[in-house]
Amino acid sequence: MANYNPYENMLNTLDQAAEKLGLTRNDYEVIRHPEREMTVAVPVQMDDGHIEVFSGYRTQHSTIMGAAKGGLRFHPDSDENEVRALAAWMTIKNSIAHLPYGGGKGGIKVDPKKLSQRELERLTRGFVRKIAPIIGVDTDVPAPDVNTNPQIMAWIVDEFSTLKGVWSPGVVTGKPLAVGGSKGRNEATGRGCMFTLKSYLEKKGKKMTDVTIAVQGFGNVGSVGALLMHREGAKIVAIGDVHGSIYNENGIDVEKAYEYANSHGRSLEGYEEAGMTRIPNPELLLLDVDVLYLAALENQLNGSNMKEVKAKTILEGANGPTTNEADLYFFEKGIEIIPDVLANGGGVVTSYYEWVQNKAGFYWDEDEVNARLEKNMKMSFEEVWEMQQQYKVYPRLAAYMVALKRLVDASKLRGFNG
């Protein structure tokens, strides 16, 4: 889908949410537009001495509810359009979760696997120097996303603190524990997906032990979520990553696969277990399973494959994996989606807890972090579920309606709409 525009996809749903809520265009026009966008060129001296220039982006979609908040991804397909949509989704996600944040997102157009560790550090620090004027503990707080990790967050903290002349651990979240990270943060997004799926199954009178799951994507979100769902009794029958997909109708040994991937650069390439077969990646999306857990990239289910999907429920761990066209088709066919802005909110919820701990200089144990996360995810799910039942709309639209109502109320109180 070469013409796929993720920001237009977001606006389409936002406009539908406003119509259902009876809002006028004036009520939410400010939310349709990013507040600030920055594009930078980051020169990096490569290990062989030549200079290469990388494009970087940071978008602050909204600060109506508080500081912009959202991840930073390193990916060869990253561009302004993608980052703009991701920032808007963060605005919606943070509003659903009752967090005092707006939405932000950043990206660098790069394949980090082609860089050495020293080149990656130079790129990260160079990007921080370029965007330092618009980020800060109380203005815009990045976090890990696709192909970024705690080490990269540690470099960002160090570079930003050096520039400002004061130790500023709260400028990013998802940091290593040694530099102000929070216990439970690394597993938070996958854990939040598990909590949300449990809440959904309870509404259907089911338990995790009743379902089969296919997992697309085995990075942090996919692997942690799959592992926790497996430990709750779910049968994981398929797992796919960029190197291929594996299938076992009797259930994959997720503990073994998780350990293998973590010791092989987060890859399942070369993994083997008894009863396992390999299937093409596109085939994983079409398996007849109870739950299809999408934890890769956006635009995975669309007009080209939606009619072949056999899963009964779609759990979105990735951002934007389903297009508007597919959303409506699944709703009409009775295939329910647990949308990204609800399901994968665990990462930013625990990022908020990390930020609070940084500000207070007081740190919680992991049980407290996880208990707070579970409470927040259940509360958010209940509010979206109630909106869905009240208006008889598809789940993503209900989630946007919950978020948009709060955003409009806040913007009116602050005077953004005159």
Side-chain angles (χ1 to χ4, degrees):
M1 294 184 69
N3 295 323
Y4 172 68
N5 184 321
Y7 196 73
E8 290 297 326
N9 211 55
M10 184 282 301
L11 287 178
N12 183 284
T13 309
L14 191 72
D15 289 342
Q16 290 180 58
E19 182 179 357
K20 286 288 183 181
L21 290 169
L23 299 174
T24 68
R25 187 66 171 255
N26 276 351
D27 289 329
Y28 73 105
E29 181 67 21
V30 65
I31 302 165
R32 298 184 87 257
H33 302 272
E35 290 180 15
R36 176 189 283 174
E37 296 181 293
M38 176 178 274
T39 301
V40 297
V42 186
V44 176
Q45 184 174 31
M46 309 304 280
D47 289 344
D48 64 3
H50 86 277
I51 301 296
E52 196 160 334
V53 179
F54 298 88
S55 296
Y57 317 95
R58 188 70 189 175
T59 293
Q60 295 166 354
H61 175 262
S62 170
T63 57
I64 290 171
M65 305 293 281
K69 181 80 183 81
L72 171 65
R73 61 175 52 186
F74 289 0
H75 196 276
D77 294 332
S78 189
D79 60 23
E80 302 99 318
N81 220 16
E82 177 198 55
V83 169
R84 187 179 299 130
L86 291 164
W89 286 326
M90 286 304 303
T91 297
I92 301 298
K93 188 183 305 183
N94 290 331
S95 179
I96 291 169
H98 289 273
L99 301 182
Y101 287 143
K105 208 75 174 187
I108 299 178
K109 195 176 189 67
V110 62
D111 183 352
K113 295 181 179 66
K114 295 181 178 179
L115 272 58
S116 71
Q117 187 80 343
R118 289 183 299 175
E119 290 168 339
L120 191 59
E121 180 175 355
R122 290 185 208 119
L123 174 62
T124 301
R125 291 181 181 275
F127 182 66
V128 173
R129 290 193 293 272
K130 294 288 186 178
I131 68 168
I134 69 166
I135 65 171
V137 177
D138 296 307
T139 54
D140 184 358
V141 183
D145 199 85
V146 176
N147 292 330
T148 54
N149 55 34
Q151 175 60 77
I152 289 172
M153 297 305 109
W155 290 331
I156 294 175
V157 168
D158 183 72
E159 190 67 26
F160 185 84
S161 297
T162 300
L163 291 170
K164 299 301 179 181
V166 59
W167 177 236
S168 307
V171 70
V172 294
T173 56
K175 304 178 294 295
L177 292 177
V179 290
S182 172
K183 292 178 179 178
R185 173 59 186 87
N186 186 60
E187 300 81 19
T189 307
R191 190 179 298 277
C193 288
M194 183 271 289
F195 285 146
T196 306
L197 179 58
K198 281 183 71 174
S199 294
Y200 170 81
L201 291 174
E202 286 173 9
K203 295 293 185 184
K204 299 297 182 178
K206 295 182 179 180
K207 298 178 181 178
M208 202 73 79
T209 52
D210 298 326
V211 298
T212 57
I213 302 176
V215 183
Q216 185 205 35
F218 210 59
N220 176 271
V221 178
S223 64
V224 171
L227 182 66
L228 295 175
M229 293 169 200
H230 167 76
R231 289 176 177 173
E232 290 285 328
K235 182 188 289 186
I236 311 296
V237 298
I239 298 172
D241 65 13
V242 294
H243 300 290
S245 297
I246 60 176
Y247 174 76
N248 188 339
E249 65 178 356
N250 295 316
I252 292 167
D253 185 343
V254 184
E255 300 278 355
K256 180 181 175 183
Y258 182 84
E259 184 178 340
Y260 181 93
N262 278 349
S263 61
H264 289 77
R266 286 203 179 277
S267 169
L268 285 173
E269 187 174 18
Y271 176 77
E272 296 289 344
E273 69 172 59
M276 182 197 93
T277 58
R278 297 196 176 275
I279 60 174
N281 275 347
E283 196 174 302
L284 182 144
L285 298 174
L286 312 180
L287 290 173
D288 188 1
V289 291
D290 296 305
V291 178
L292 177 59
Y293 178 33
L294 300 175
L297 294 171
E298 59 265 18
N299 190 25
Q300 299 302 299
L301 300 180
N302 50 54
S304 68
N305 61 6
M306 63 188 187
K307 293 182 180 179
E308 299 176 77
V309 171
K310 303 178 188 68
K312 300 173 182 65
T313 303
I314 297 163
L315 174 65
E316 294 186 337
N319 292 309
T322 310
T323 64
N324 288 145
E325 181 184 8
D327 246 343
L328 293 174
Y329 175 81
F330 293 143
F331 183 58
E332 291 169 357
K333 292 296 181 180
I335 299 173
E336 290 209 301
I337 294 178
I338 307 174
D340 51 0
V341 289
L342 172 64
N344 70 19
V348 72
V349 170
T350 306
S351 277
Y352 168 62
Y353 298 154
E354 180 179 334
W355 182 73
V356 168
Q357 292 170 83
N358 291 157
K359 279 176 160 284
F362 180 80
Y363 293 82
W364 309 334
D365 62 35
E366 188 167 354
D367 287 343
E368 181 171 1
V369 172
N370 290 341
R372 288 176 180 270
L373 173 62
E374 183 173 15
K375 182 178 179 180
N376 184 291
M377 298 302 294
K378 285 185 174 181
M379 174 186 66
S380 299
F381 177 85
E382 288 294 336
E383 290 173 344
V384 172
W385 180 266
E386 288 174 13
M387 184 71 77
Q388 182 184 348
Q389 305 312 307
Q390 180 182 348
Y391 284 86
K392 307 300 180 187
V393 294
Y394 60 95
R396 190 183 321 281
L397 186 54
Y400 271 62
M401 289 167 70
V402 169
L404 184 57
K405 186 178 185 307
R406 289 191 190 126
L407 289 162
V408 168
D409 288 347
S411 67
K412 286 183 176 180
L413 289 167
R414 292 186 60 176
F416 283 9
N417 293 333

